Amino acid sequence: MARSVVFATFLLATFAIAPSQASAAQDDPSEAIRRLERQHETIRGELVSPGEEQEQEHDSPDQQKSPREKALDRIKRLEERTKERVGPPPEEPAVEQHLPTVPRERTQFLLNLFGAIARIYDEILVQTGRVGQYYDDLLDTAVAAPRLLHRLLNQPEGFRFGGEYRIRYETLEGRWRRGEAGSDQQVAQRTRFYFSIKDIADPLRAVLEFQDSRTWLTDQGSFVNNTHVNHTDIQQLHVDLVSSNFFGSGLYTELNVGRLNMDLGRRRWVARNSFRNTTNAFDGISWLLGKTEVWSLRAFVVAPVGRFLRRLDEPDTERRLWGLYYESHHLSRMRTDLYYFGHRDRGPFRDFDMVGTRIRKRPAAGTFHYEIESAYQFGDVSRQGRFQHFQHAEGGFTFDAPWIPQIVLQFDYASRGFDSLYGARVFEFAPTGIFGPVVRTNLLSPGLRLLANPTDKLSLYLQQRALWLADGRSPWAGSGRHDPTGAAGTFVGHTSDLRAGYRVTDNLFLQVGFVHFAFGGVPKRTPDSTGDRRAIYAYTSIDVLF
């Protein structure tokens, strides 16, 4: 009951921000000034007569000026008339010189304060850029944010500053992981700060990013590991060489050396994590060559970075990942990806080669879209065998109607020992965090997803997925549960997933989610079952970019 009250309070606080922020985004600066003047009518009455105020309305009739420029001109005239009316402050006894002696000081303070607020307002709602980035898992796309910090520091375009602060409350009732019981909750906090040098020293560029991930309000026995906690660390640090005309070919190329983040294809195998509180990183080299919106080829050799809870991360010198990823956009109705990955680990498993292909047609209003992806792994993949594979198929239709509703039928199959490498799964399955019951291995899962956008700021997401084990005698990945006899069957259960995202301004995002996980025979009948018949997970988050 107490947890429900906490969650409800956090949820109400989240949505309480939205109307006030949205209202602020629609205010005209001159209206804000008039409100300020009304609040301090007594002070202004001593300084400006009604006749003079009327005269001010007709000063500088420049119709080309914006409302903000006219408002700032009005502030300047008010300040000048204040000085004329009040004059220098009278001399007072020394013992009283620390006290304010005339209204002019308070008026000047208010004018300066409003000027600072107006500048911040202008940066948030007018200036845009790509320093910060919010990845919307509901829409499976990245959203650029205003370069607020960069412009407030008055830095040239070649230097980019930015960052992100996200706080999310999660609560879980009902458990399925082996050794866990009761309920769980967590406040996950993530802070990122980004700096880059671009354009001013081309072809040389550089990127530096710090990230701090922490959790609070955890219960005794809470599910906490290095996917939740990773105290202040270097998330990216690389030097780049770029050219828009590689050896006169007209092709774009980019060479990155250092600590990298990568998103490849649909992000199923290599991704910069969004929903998860910590983020994958890789030390090594990446090279990109291509022609914009036609084709691209990326080659890389990296060592995955090992994450530690409370000390600096280090590259895992016994693991290696390398590969080629090719994307072709030559055909408007069919885009094609071809890829190869190699992975080596300390053993005895995770030493394998992987090839795959992906074809798709992008969604558009009034049309059908589809995506098919197949991946195959050869070598010492896992103890379940030397050959593993993954298949994904989806087809959908986007209606050309209010709310732009989209319906998608999905199917995923991953053999019992398939290795999903370093990919993301929130956009396709259930949320992770302290939840995350679905992993792309030993899985058979059909699904139905509905997506709607009632406004350009609000997105709604509803998904129903049924979950089976591909092999009932192999482990249910991520749960610690395994019935080698297969007596528990293969049905894991089904999830009902409802999420909503709201973009308050260009740099403020709100999201809430609720998932009902009805257990099947596997979580109820495997050894050491918790006795629960279902799990309920909910979260609410606030994400601010600066």
Side-chain angles (χ1 to χ4, degrees):
M1 179 65 182
R3 179 172 292 109
S4 300
V5 173
V6 172
F7 178 73
T9 304
F10 196 87
L11 184 62
L12 290 173
T14 297
F15 280 105
I17 295 175
S20 62
Q21 292 287 346
S23 175
Q26 296 171 358
D27 280 351
D28 185 85
S30 58
E31 177 61 27
I33 294 174
R34 285 192 286 273
R35 288 199 305 270
L36 180 65
E37 291 175 340
R38 285 195 296 269
Q39 294 172 0
H40 302 279
E41 183 177 356
T42 303
I43 298 174
R44 195 186 64 175
E46 297 178 3
L47 305 176
V48 183
S49 67
E52 290 172 329
E53 182 173 316
Q54 183 177 6
E55 179 185 346
Q56 287 179 0
E57 299 292 337
H58 299 284
D59 286 346
S60 303
D62 186 355
Q63 300 301 321
Q64 301 301 319
K65 290 187 177 181
S66 66
R68 171 172 163 70
E69 290 173 328
K70 292 178 181 179
L72 294 177
D73 287 344
R74 189 174 177 187
I75 289 178
K76 185 176 181 180
R77 288 195 298 270
L78 179 60
E79 181 181 359
E80 291 173 350
R81 293 184 182 278
T82 298
K83 292 179 180 179
E84 293 174 0
R85 285 285 185 182
V86 177
E91 294 184 3
E92 297 191 5
V95 294
E96 298 180 1
Q97 285 182 355
H98 64 284
L99 299 175
T101 58
V102 293
R104 182 175 70 91
E105 294 182 3
R106 273 184 293 173
T107 303
Q108 185 63 48
F109 169 78
L110 293 172
L111 293 172
N112 291 341
L113 178 62
F114 177 77
I117 294 174
R119 286 193 295 273
I120 295 175
Y121 172 91
D122 182 76
E123 298 300 337
I124 293 177
L125 300 178
V126 179
Q127 305 295 342
T128 60
R130 291 185 178 275
V131 168
Q133 181 171 286
Y134 169 77
Y135 196 91
D136 191 333
D137 284 302
L138 274 65
L139 302 177
D140 192 20
T141 185
V143 180
R147 295 180 290 167
L148 177 60
L149 180 60
H150 170 78
R151 295 188 180 276
L152 287 180
L153 293 176
N154 197 29
Q155 296 298 310
E157 286 299 310
F159 294 95
R160 304 289 181 90
F161 296 89
E164 174 199 25
Y165 176 79
R166 185 189 69 189
I167 185 167
R168 180 176 67 227
Y169 175 73
E170 307 174 53
T171 179
L172 175 64
E173 297 286 346
R175 308 294 278 273
W176 66 91
R177 295 185 184 93
R178 186 175 182 180
E180 297 182 356
S183 61
D184 197 6
Q185 65 177 343
Q186 184 181 103
V187 173
Q189 173 186 286
R190 184 178 70 195
T191 306
R192 289 170 171 169
F193 181 79
Y194 176 100
F195 169 75
S196 72
I197 300 174
K198 182 179 179 181
D199 297 332
I200 63 174
D202 281 357
L204 186 66
R205 298 179 180 180
V207 171
L208 171 63
E209 182 182 37
F210 294 98
Q211 178 169 308
D212 182 82
S213 303
R214 300 172 187 257
T215 60
W216 316 93
L217 206 66
T218 53
D219 290 339
Q220 184 177 5
S222 288
F223 177 58
V224 178
N225 57 26
N226 66 357
T227 66
H228 307 95
V229 177
N230 186 15
H231 288 185
T232 307
D233 219 310
I234 298 174
Q235 184 60 39
Q236 294 190 79
L237 176 57
H238 54 88
V239 177
D240 311 329
L241 288 174
V242 299
S243 173
S244 59
N245 189 18
F246 185 56
F247 288 113
S249 64
L251 301 177
Y252 177 83
T253 187
E254 181 176 320
L255 177 68
N256 315 118
V257 181
R259 180 160 294 179
L260 316 171
N261 289 177
M262 296 189 293
D263 279 327
L264 298 180
R266 190 66 187 275
R267 305 172 63 248
R268 291 188 175 101
W269 317 128
V270 179
R272 174 180 164 94
N273 307 89
S274 174
F275 190 92
R276 200 179 78 186
N277 209 40
T278 63
T279 308
N280 295 330
F282 306 89
D283 284 359
I285 301 173
S286 174
W287 178 54
L288 175 68
L289 178 69
K291 188 173 183 179
T292 305
E293 290 300 319
V294 179
W295 65 272
S296 66
L297 174 66
R298 182 178 293 277
F300 58 91
V301 179
V302 296
V305 174
R307 295 185 304 275
F308 299 97
L309 301 187
R310 295 175 178 82
R311 65 182 179 91
L312 289 178
D313 297 343
E314 298 175 358
D316 190 332
T317 58
E318 297 185 2
R319 283 191 294 166
R320 290 290 183 272
L321 174 69
W322 65 92
L324 298 169
Y325 201 101
Y326 173 77
E327 296 185 59
S328 171
H329 302 167
H330 287 91
L331 302 177
S332 60
R333 293 184 178 274
M334 186 178 76
R335 299 191 172 199
T336 305
D337 297 4
L338 300 171
Y339 52 84
Y340 160 78
F341 300 135
H343 191 274
R344 296 295 181 267
D345 207 333
R346 61 179 59 87
F349 304 112
R350 301 201 80 192
D351 290 349
F352 61 89
D353 296 286
M354 174 176 173
V355 295
T357 183
R358 173 178 170 241
I359 60 174
R360 79 274 188 197
K361 179 179 180 294
R362 300 176 67 178
T367 65
F368 288 94
H369 69 273
Y370 64 88
E371 180 190 16
I372 299 173
E373 182 164 5
S374 296
Y376 303 88
Q377 297 174 343
F378 310 88
D380 291 330
V381 186
S382 68
R383 66 178 68 252
Q384 279 75 35
R386 294 180 58 84
F387 171 74
Q388 306 295 337
H389 66 105
F390 167 86
Q391 312 297 329
H392 170 85
E394 70 176 56
F397 185 81
T398 304
F399 295 88
D400 189 3
W403 291 31
I404 319 177
Q406 181 185 102
I407 182 170
V408 183
L409 292 174
Q410 306 164 294
F411 177 81
D412 288 271
Y413 176 88
S415 58
R416 61 181 184 170
F418 186 81
D419 192 314
S420 57
L421 290 173
Y422 307 95
R425 48 196 165 110
V426 174
F427 67 91
E428 202 157 57
F429 299 109
T432 51
I434 60 175
F435 192 54
V438 188
V439 181
R440 288 190 189 92
T441 186
N442 197 23
L443 174 70
L444 188 154
S445 175
L448 174 66
R449 183 179 71 218
L450 300 174
L451 184 67
N453 295 275
T455 72
D456 61 349
K457 293 178 177 292
L458 177 63
S459 300
L460 301 177
Y461 174 106
L462 174 63
Q463 180 170 260
Q464 183 77 22
R465 291 206 77 130
L467 309 170
W468 281 270
L469 299 180
D471 178 13
R473 292 180 173 84
S474 296
W476 172 20
S479 71
R481 298 198 173 279
H482 181 201
D483 181 5
T485 68
T490 60
F491 185 52
V492 176
H494 58 85
T495 59
S496 302
D497 185 354
L498 175 63
R499 298 180 236 176
Y502 187 76
R503 177 171 57 86
V504 182
T505 67
D506 288 340
N507 77 316
L508 178 61
F509 301 83
L510 310 180
Q511 193 175 122
V512 296
F514 174 88
V515 184
H516 181 271
F517 179 18
F519 293 170
V522 174
K524 289 191 291 188
R525 293 198 291 266
T526 49
D528 300 323
S529 172
T530 63
D532 292 328
R533 303 183 64 84
R534 57 99 178 101
I536 295 177
Y537 169 81
Y539 73 90
T540 181
S541 69
I542 302 173
D543 202 308
V544 182
L545 297 165
F546 52 87

